Amino acid sequence: MTNIDKTVLILEDSPAIANLLAHYLEETYKFKCKLFDTFQEAKDYFADHNHIRPVAAVVDLHLPDCTPEEAVKLTVAENIPTIVFTGNVSNSVRDLILQHGITDYVLKSTPNGIAHIGKMIKRLEANKEVDVLVVDDAPSMRKMIRTLLESQCFRVFETNSGKEAIEIVTSTPKIRIVVVDYFVQDMTGADLVLNLRNRYPIEKLGIIGMSAYGSHHMSADMIKYGADDFIIKPFLPEEFICRVNSMATHLEEFYFLQKLNVEKNNILGMIAHDVRGPLGAIDGACQLLLGKDYDKEKQHYFLNKIRTIIKDQLMLLSDLLDTTAIEEGRLSIDLNLNNLIELAKSRVEYFQIVASGKQIHIQLQVIDDIPSFLFDRNRLKQVVDNLISNAIKYSPPNQPLLFP
């Protein structure tokens, strides 16, 4: 199995629990779920090696036709990230789960157990794009931490050298988390943390310090030098996994907020550009009204133009206030049958008020045989407005402006 898709395998002999879990994963996260209520049924499924590799498996330890150890080994042997979903976990069962490289376990008795499984699987998907560096002078500790991290689908690098750690982080852009022991070669862990933090801000690189020796001043040194977290060895595997996954989530949220801010600024820039021209038209119409004593018909004409411009800008502002559109980086499109010539004529008339301030006369060159077609009038109007307003802005005074 080499190709990964959005399938989640569920090995559970309770139809109620299996269907509830499958429904939640399918509706909330759009996963495809395949259910098995016996060990043999799942084993037969794996006998076909042509199927696509699932993204994860959720396994009940107490299937009717196998031992807990057999249930655990089945999906792990296929290199599928495996979450145990069980009614209770004794110390012996917990040891069994952890020694086989299970991703994690969830108790069925917890109120949000099913929701937690969904979040875990999404985290596993995201972790495949995150590299982690482990820096420790003890080979056995590096091996143990590597195993834990790989069970969470991280790609892992390791070294015992502070200098080499800096080189690895510098040359590997996907490294987002560094786990640093206080005692490493070349320098102290605190010095390594300080060096890394001087190069990478907290939104770019998460750092977890750790140590098995000394007093609490080691954790203080690491934190003060720039580590985000500190853990004392020996630690529980569950605690370490929780700390690293939480940090990965925080970094992901940082990235999302930065991306959202860029998209917001792009939309704001677009709207600011779209508003500038129409405001100029309003100003031009007001100057004409104030500068001459027009009859009521002409006054009414200019006031209607001002009112039309204001309505257009209110529509733009509604786009700005559509936070969902901004978060998703999109604006709505409303396709209707419209006439491009009629739109062009109305926009030329609209901007003639602005152009008259520079003694510019806009001439529209029309092709009469363009039929009506489907387009979003408001969006295309924004495009035409930008073209005409830029043309007026950059044209010399007292010159005709041809608009084809």
Side-chain angles (χ1 to χ4, degrees):
M1 294 182 294
T2 56
N3 296 321
I4 301 175
D5 70 349
K6 297 276 288 184
T7 299
V8 176
L9 305 183
I10 300 176
L11 283 68
E12 170 63 60
D13 65 338
S14 167
I17 293 176
N19 288 322
L20 184 62
L21 176 59
H23 177 77
Y24 179 81
L25 295 177
E26 289 170 351
E27 292 296 317
T28 307
Y29 296 104
K30 309 306 177 186
F31 290 120
K32 296 180 291 183
C33 295
K34 187 164 183 62
L35 280 57
F36 308 94
D37 56 9
T38 66
F39 174 83
Q40 188 60 48
E41 186 181 0
K43 189 175 180 181
D44 292 341
Y45 174 80
F46 289 125
D48 177 11
H49 292 287
N50 295 321
H51 57 267
I52 297 175
R53 179 181 174 184
V55 67
V58 182
V59 180
D60 178 22
L61 288 181
H62 305 290
L63 297 173
D65 57 341
C66 71
T67 66
E69 184 171 7
E70 288 175 321
V72 165
K73 286 183 176 180
L74 180 61
T75 52
V76 172
E78 299 290 337
N79 294 317
I80 301 171
T82 300
I83 300 167
V84 168
F85 193 33
T86 188
N88 57 77
V89 178
S90 64
N91 288 336
S92 60
V93 171
R94 175 180 171 275
D95 292 339
L96 172 67
I97 291 172
L98 295 176
Q99 75 183 19
H100 286 291
I102 293 296
T103 297
D104 206 346
Y105 61 89
V106 178
L107 297 177
K108 293 178 181 178
S109 57
T110 56
N112 298 315
I114 288 178
H116 185 52
I117 288 174
K119 291 179 180 178
M120 289 172 63
I121 297 174
K122 287 299 291 182
R123 184 68 261 157
L124 292 174
E125 277 196 308
N127 286 350
K128 293 170 185 175
E129 300 301 318
V130 179
D131 294 348
V132 180
L133 172 63
V134 180
V135 190
D136 195 300
D137 61 344
S140 59
M141 180 56 65
R142 293 200 306 272
K143 181 180 179 181
M144 187 269 284
I145 293 176
R146 171 185 281 275
T147 299
L148 290 175
L149 292 171
E150 288 178 343
S151 76
Q152 304 302 304
C153 296
F154 292 108
R155 190 170 72 144
V156 183
F157 297 80
E158 61 176 86
T159 181
N160 62 355
S161 164
K163 292 181 180 179
E164 187 177 356
I166 296 170
E167 293 175 0
I168 293 173
V169 175
T170 303
S171 61
T172 314
K174 281 192 174 183
I175 289 182
R176 304 300 307 280
I177 299 173
V178 179
V179 181
V180 184
D181 186 60
Y182 195 89
F183 297 99
V184 298
Q185 291 185 10
D186 310 318
M187 62 185 73
T188 68
D191 288 333
L192 175 57
V193 169
L194 179 62
N195 192 303
L196 291 173
R197 188 53 76 215
N198 284 335
R199 296 164 182 259
Y200 304 97
I202 57 174
E203 65 269 21
K204 296 293 185 181
L205 185 70
I207 303 175
I208 300 175
M210 60 181 181
S211 179
Y213 306 101
S215 62
H216 291 295
H217 77 81
M218 289 185 176
S219 64
D221 287 348
M222 290 281 220
I223 296 296
K224 293 298 183 182
Y225 277 37
D228 304 280
D229 200 356
F230 189 89
I231 188 168
I232 299 292
K233 298 186 292 187
F235 46 73
L236 291 173
E238 298 96 323
E239 180 185 6
F240 180 80
I241 287 170
C242 181
R243 298 272 190 100
V244 177
N245 278 327
S246 293
M247 182 163 291
T249 299
H250 292 156
L251 290 168
E252 192 176 71
E253 290 169 349
F254 265 125
Y255 174 77
F256 172 77
L257 290 174
Q258 289 176 330
K259 181 180 177 182
L260 182 61
N261 190 54
V262 170
E263 292 172 350
K264 177 205 69 177
N265 290 337
N266 288 339
I267 293 177
L268 287 175
M270 179 188 70
I271 292 178
H273 188 274
D274 289 344
V275 167
R276 187 180 294 112
L279 287 178
I282 292 176
D283 182 62
C286 290
Q287 288 185 38
L288 290 172
L289 283 172
L290 293 171
K292 293 184 180 180
D293 186 17
Y294 289 108
D295 58 33
K296 287 187 177 181
E297 182 179 351
K298 197 67 172 178
Q299 291 177 11
H300 189 71
Y301 168 81
F302 283 123
L303 290 173
N304 272 333
K305 289 298 179 185
I306 291 172
R307 185 169 182 270
T308 300
I309 296 170
I310 291 172
K311 287 173 65 178
D312 290 343
Q313 301 321 296
L314 288 175
M315 185 172 299
L316 277 175
L317 290 176
S318 71
D319 286 341
L320 176 61
L321 296 174
D322 186 354
T323 56
T324 301
I326 294 177
E327 288 176 358
E328 295 180 359
R330 54 132 182 106
L331 293 175
S332 60
I333 300 296
D334 183 21
L335 294 178
N336 288 291
L337 192 64
N338 292 288
N339 187 276
L340 182 59
I341 300 302
E342 182 274 326
L343 173 64
K345 287 180 178 179
S346 68
R347 304 325 290 165
V348 166
E349 182 182 4
Y350 178 94
F351 275 97
Q352 186 57 60
I353 299 172
V354 180
S356 62
K358 294 180 67 175
Q359 306 301 315
I360 292 175
H361 178 67
I362 306 175
Q363 299 178 10
L364 178 63
Q365 296 179 330
V366 177
I367 300 175
D368 293 328
D369 59 349
I370 297 180
S372 297
F373 60 95
L374 289 174
F375 62 87
D376 186 323
R377 180 181 176 83
N378 290 321
R379 301 299 175 208
L380 193 57
K381 182 170 63 177
Q382 290 173 329
V383 175
V384 174
D385 286 357
N386 283 331
L387 290 172
I388 300 178
S389 63
N390 284 337
I392 295 172
K393 180 179 178 180
Y394 295 107
S395 294
N398 303 306
Q399 294 290 329
L401 179 60
L402 299 179
F403 184 66

